[in-house]
Amino acid sequence: MAISKNSIKFIQSLRIKKFRQKYNKFIVEGDKMVGEILMQEDTAIDFLYATDSWIKTHDLANKISDDKIVKISSGELERISTLKTPNQVLAILDIPSYEIDSVLIKTEINLFLDDIQDPGNLGTILRIADWFGIRQVICSPGTVDVYNPKVIQSTMGAFLRVNTPVATLESIINANDHMPVFGAVMDGENIFKIDRKNEGLIVIGNEGKGISPENYPFLTKKISIPATAQSGAESLNAAVATGIICAFWKN
């Protein structure tokens, strides 16, 4: 089964958010991440586009039907890939519908991302959450789309394991009375001296503006990562700060 011009145009359109939303599809690329998807019981792969050498070295029987596998040349892969150096295989999947897991809100620590804009930051934060066993990362409506190809690539497969619903902080608070909400800010309490909670939310603000003014009233405690006296840095990258916070919280 060869790839058609219409298929190429369709796949290229999925680089843009409005078309991902229109078709409810997204792209996953690379041997590692596609391999992880194929290992799941329900692969949910619409189509798999791969080079002949990749197909020959992977046992796809009982994982995906033949009519969903499209053998393509390296040149064709370059046309549909979002990567500078295409990696042998690309899959098209349905965008899953994630809802907030209220049990996780009540029993575990969760992250809330307040208008994170950089795809690399979001992907890295999901990877950090996956590493430290934080199973739910809630994104504000203004946060970059989780299914942006750059986000997916940056997660290194974490998007498969972390629940990523979209909601406002206000709606979460309204549904969960007396929930601890920790906000990462510049003038907060030293994170290494606070009393950690095993449940609730840690709010990570926008890269340039921090936590939104409308979300400030919902913070029950403001926390900060202290710099040394010798530091000349103005602030930490959002993903770096998240990594430090998660390492402290989960160890």
Side-chain angles (χ1 to χ4, degrees):
M1 181 178 178
I3 188 169
S4 67
K5 290 182 178 179
N6 283 340
S7 293
I8 291 173
K9 185 177 179 181
F10 166 69
I11 296 167
Q12 290 174 337
S13 77
L14 297 180
R15 300 174 188 180
I16 302 169
K17 182 178 180 179
K18 70 175 182 179
F19 291 111
R20 290 195 295 275
Q21 293 177 329
K22 177 180 179 180
Y23 300 117
N24 199 46
K25 310 287 183 187
F26 72 108
I27 297 168
V28 177
E29 294 190 65
D31 178 65
K32 180 185 180 298
M33 286 197 286
V34 173
E36 283 194 50
I37 293 167
L38 289 169
M39 287 174 62
Q40 295 183 325
E41 288 186 16
D42 182 11
T43 63
I45 291 179
D46 262 15
F47 281 99
L48 187 145
Y49 300 87
T51 61
D52 183 54
S53 60
W54 190 91
I55 293 171
K56 286 180 177 178
T57 54
H58 290 76
D59 181 14
L60 301 177
N62 302 319
K63 295 179 180 178
I64 181 171
S65 58
D66 290 343
D67 62 334
K68 293 185 176 183
I69 302 172
V70 182
K71 187 188 300 183
I72 58 175
S73 67
S74 297
E76 289 171 325
L77 184 58
E78 284 185 14
R79 293 184 65 187
I80 61 174
S81 175
T82 64
L83 305 177
K84 290 183 179 179
T85 306
N87 191 341
Q88 300 185 77
V89 61
L90 179 151
I92 305 297
L93 288 81
D94 287 334
I95 293 177
S97 177
Y98 285 127
E99 301 294 333
I100 291 177
D101 188 326
S102 58
V103 174
L104 293 182
I105 290 283
K106 292 179 173 65
T107 60
E108 299 183 13
I109 201 70
N110 303 253
L111 295 180
F112 179 85
L113 306 184
D114 187 356
D115 293 1
I116 292 293
Q117 293 298 293
D118 183 82
N121 276 341
L122 177 54
T124 302
I125 288 170
L126 293 181
R127 193 174 175 186
I128 289 166
D130 186 30
W131 180 265
F132 288 107
I134 293 175
R135 297 191 288 167
Q136 184 158 251
V137 177
I138 305 168
C139 300
S140 71
T143 291
V144 64
D145 178 20
V146 169
Y147 299 99
N148 177 306
K150 291 181 180 179
V151 174
I152 293 296
Q153 208 64 32
S154 297
T155 69
M156 293 301 291
F159 75 94
L160 295 168
R161 295 177 289 276
V162 179
N163 191 42
T164 55
V166 176
T168 64
L169 184 56
E170 182 177 11
S171 67
I172 301 168
I173 300 300
N174 289 342
N176 298 275
D177 292 338
H178 311 298
M179 178 181 63
V181 182
F182 299 87
V185 298
M186 294 298 294
D187 59 348
E189 188 176 340
N190 185 334
I191 188 175
F192 302 113
K193 296 181 179 180
I194 69 167
D195 179 21
R196 289 177 291 187
K197 300 292 184 181
N198 294 322
E199 72 287 334
L201 290 178
I202 299 171
V203 180
I204 306 297
N206 172 271
E207 293 90 342
K209 300 176 182 178
I211 294 174
S212 305
E214 61 267 26
N215 286 332
Y216 249 85
F218 300 119
L219 305 180
T220 59
K221 183 179 283 293
K222 298 172 185 176
I223 58 175
S224 182
I225 301 167
T228 65
Q230 295 78 26
S231 175
E234 185 177 296
S235 63
L236 287 171
N237 168 276
V240 171
T242 302
I244 295 170
I245 292 169
C246 291
F248 165 74
W249 222 278
K250 300 295 282 188
N251 288 292

